[in-house]
Amino acid sequence: MAQTIALIDYGAGNLHSVYNALKASGASSVEVTADPTYVAKADRIILPGVGAFGACINALGAIDGMIAAMDKRVRDEGAPFLGICVGMQLLADEGVEHGTHQGLGWIGGTVRAFEPSNTIKIPHMGWNQLRLVQGHALLENGEAYFLHGYKFDATDHDEVIAMTDHGGEVTAAIGRDNILGVQFHPEKSQHYGLSLLSRFLDWSP
Amino acid sequence: MSVCIRVIPCLDVAGGRVVKGVNFVDLVDAGDPVEQAKAYGAAGADELCFLDITASNEERDTIIDVVRRTAEVCFMPLTVGGGVRSVEDARALLLAGADKVAVNSAAVSNPQLIADIAEKFGSQCIVASVDAKRWSDDNDRAANDEALSKWEIYTHGGRRPTGIDALEHAQNMARLGAGELLVTSMDRDGTKIGFDNDLIRTIADNVSIPVIASGGVGHVDDLVKGVTQGHASAVLAASIFHFGEASISDAHEALRAAGLPARRRINQL
């Protein structure tokens, strides 16, 4: 059966990398879309993202009806959702990056900068080990590619799925029910990432 | 476990064809960058770098096509450098599927370009390329006193001296919003006697962003020294990988043997 996958285009992010990776993972119909009416009917929704929190949430909010469509389709109707990197961070209550910005508030938490340190380089860039702190249908322990200068501090530990380490513990994946957010880039994580996307395409939370 | 030291093979591309590249596996077309990118992906490279050394502007568009075709089949971070002179050049490469662009000569004559690209696309996609050569006037003193070591920035593939101090330039690039620095020793490039680890360390210890060591690798031990002596976060090499003298796995194993974090699993793809 053909399912529709909405890859949300809000002008930020490496859409084509995620698109290519979804195709390689077996997705038949991926729509790169800025149309809330498409998102409101999509079987699965992916929110990618690179860049700054404030610019991203403003760009998403600037598409008339998009946040409302995501909210209804994902939170009310239970469509599987995957947020990637900044697309994961936007799920937080707020982001502190060039000022404080309100996030979507789907997963309690705050996105803030890594503490400057003599022992780590910022951004956190490269392959790092993912350590699951609870079981999840889509995730396994392994190495994935991270690239970020800000991190997700979750309010509720029950919503933390996996951690990694960069000068201390860093949230690598968060989620609840049909919502998953990953700090790393599955589209750049070779086999580890493509197999995650492939499982997302079959996910029935 | 902390973030892995990245091992980055670099391919020279001109007119859409690999000029200096892989011969470690049987490829359908050994001159096709896409085939070589796939081979490095299968070998477990942590990232890949294309350096476009195309001489003429007429051939510039071919690198866009190469990047687009590579991004369809290669799922690791791809950096493209060479000839990036404007925000528009960067945009074209990023839209085609590059994850990062390396900016070299243009950032020396116009440092603001780094800030402009960072503002538009984010710091994570900018690699500031720093080509440096030991300052000859200081050679005598430097030999006696390591602290006096200084390096000068060169542009245009190492042909043009600028009078600019390498550390100052590197710090300026970081301040303007570069996400990482690719530091190449012009003294060591092609020599196969190892990185100029004094240069690498001088820069790495004085910026907060990651440094990629480049120039001079002849053996996997040189990669290890780039981290233990040069304090680099990533190591870039060309010929030792292309000519099969070492595999990506050899590099990862050498790093791990030295107690450094490196990927354990080859993610076959």
Side-chain angles (χ1 to χ4, degrees):
Chain A
M1 68 180 183
Q3 55 172 346
T4 56
I5 296 149
L7 181 55
I8 298 178
D9 177 8
Y10 56 105
N14 52 347
L15 283 168
H16 294 285
S17 294
V18 180
Y19 178 87
N20 287 333
L22 281 165
K23 286 293 198 185
S25 305
S28 51
S29 64
V30 183
E31 187 81 12
V32 174
T33 181
D35 179 359
T37 60
Y38 188 88
V39 171
K41 293 180 300 192
D43 293 313
R44 293 165 201 279
I45 297 171
I46 296 178
L47 186 66
V50 294
F53 188 101
C56 286
I57 196 71
N58 288 340
L60 191 63
I63 305 172
D64 198 23
M66 181 58 89
I67 290 177
M70 287 168 56
D71 212 63
K72 178 166 182 293
R73 188 70 189 122
V74 177
R75 292 217 290 178
D76 298 348
E77 299 170 4
F81 173 92
L82 177 65
I84 299 172
C85 197
V86 177
M88 167 259 216
Q89 296 183 348
L90 295 180
L91 303 181
D93 296 315
E94 61 174 12
V96 185
E97 181 173 359
H98 307 300
T100 300
H101 307 271
Q102 197 181 344
L104 294 173
W106 291 7
I107 302 281
T110 299
V111 175
R112 48 173 71 93
F114 280 94
E115 300 285 335
S117 154
N118 289 329
T119 55
I120 58 164
K121 293 292 188 182
I122 302 163
H124 173 211
M125 183 186 291
W127 295 79
N128 210 335
Q129 185 72 33
L130 214 74
R131 185 170 48 77
L132 263 63
V133 294
Q134 58 173 291
H136 195 279
L138 300 191
L139 288 172
E140 55 189 26
N141 292 322
E143 291 162 336
Y145 190 87
F146 290 81
L147 179 46
H148 59 120
Y150 292 76
K151 56 182 180 171
F152 196 121
D153 290 338
T155 311
D156 183 350
H157 288 293
D158 290 347
E159 295 179 336
V160 176
I161 312 284
M163 303 295 283
T164 188
D165 185 274
H166 189 58
E169 290 212 308
V170 175
T171 306
I174 47 155
R176 182 187 64 238
D177 306 327
N178 57 317
I179 298 169
L180 179 69
V182 295
Q183 180 63 72
F184 56 90
H185 287 276
E187 75 280 11
K188 292 290 154 188
S189 296
Q190 296 177 343
H191 178 72
Y192 181 87
L194 294 200
S195 59
L196 161 61
L197 294 177
S198 172
R199 286 190 294 273
F200 176 74
L201 296 173
D202 292 332
W203 191 28
S204 313
Chain B
M1 183 71 181
S2 48
V3 68
C4 293
I5 301 299
R6 288 169 285 146
V7 176
I8 308 173
C10 182
L11 297 165
D12 285 355
V13 180
R17 304 287 290 175
V18 175
V19 178
K20 193 173 73 177
V22 178
N23 65 1
F24 70 91
V25 288
D26 292 328
L27 295 167
V28 176
D29 176 355
D32 181 3
V34 181
E35 287 291 320
Q36 303 206 0
K38 280 162 72 175
Y40 275 120
D46 297 320
E47 293 188 16
L48 188 67
C49 181
F50 282 162
L51 188 60
D52 183 24
I53 56 168
T54 296
S56 70
N57 287 328
E58 294 79 61
E59 289 177 321
R60 272 297 289 178
D61 286 346
T62 58
I63 192 73
I64 302 289
D65 180 55
V66 165
V67 170
R68 185 176 296 114
R69 289 189 295 121
T70 301
E72 285 171 8
V73 295
C74 196
F75 303 99
M76 63 177 153
L78 174 66
T79 298
V80 183
V84 177
R85 292 184 182 85
S86 65
V87 172
E88 288 66 38
D89 289 342
R91 184 201 306 275
L93 290 168
L94 295 169
L95 284 178
D99 298 285
K100 313 178 196 181
V101 291
V103 187
N104 190 351
S105 304
V108 176
S109 53
N110 174 25
Q112 182 62 27
L113 177 59
I114 297 292
D116 291 345
I117 297 174
E119 193 191 341
K120 283 250 168 26
F121 309 111
S123 289
Q124 83 290 333
C125 75
I126 308 168
V127 183
S129 196
V130 176
D131 289 355
K133 197 168 178 174
R134 207 171 272 264
W135 207 291
S136 53
D137 290 351
D138 279 314
N139 268 355
D140 294 338
R141 282 193 299 161
N144 295 323
D145 187 349
E146 204 72 72
L148 287 174
S149 292
K150 276 188 170 289
W151 291 264
E152 179 181 6
I153 293 294
Y154 276 64
T155 59
H156 300 83
R159 292 188 300 276
R160 200 174 293 179
T162 63
I164 297 170
D165 177 72
L167 176 59
E168 277 177 32
H169 178 66
Q171 290 177 310
N172 198 30
M173 293 292 100
R175 188 181 56 76
L176 287 166
E180 62 182 329
L181 297 169
L182 170 60
V183 180
T184 303
S185 162
M186 304 312 299
D187 301 301
R188 296 296 177 90
D189 205 26
T191 63
K192 308 197 91 176
I193 58 171
F195 297 123
D196 181 345
N197 287 313
D198 293 337
L199 165 68
I200 306 295
R201 186 181 59 252
T202 297
I203 291 177
D205 284 357
N206 287 289
V207 294
S208 61
I209 57 177
V211 165
I212 307 167
S214 162
V217 174
H219 191 273
V220 288
D221 287 345
D222 296 332
L223 302 176
V224 174
K225 286 175 188 163
V227 183
T228 56
Q229 298 176 14
H231 301 174
S233 300
V235 288
L236 181 141
S239 59
I240 64 160
F241 296 132
H242 303 332
F243 300 113
E245 293 157 30
S247 67
I248 300 294
S249 297
D250 292 339
H252 284 153
E253 276 170 29
L255 290 164
R256 280 201 304 276
L260 298 165
R263 278 169 78 197
R264 281 164 206 288
R265 189 189 303 178
I266 291 179
N267 291 320
Q268 288 289 343
L269 190 74

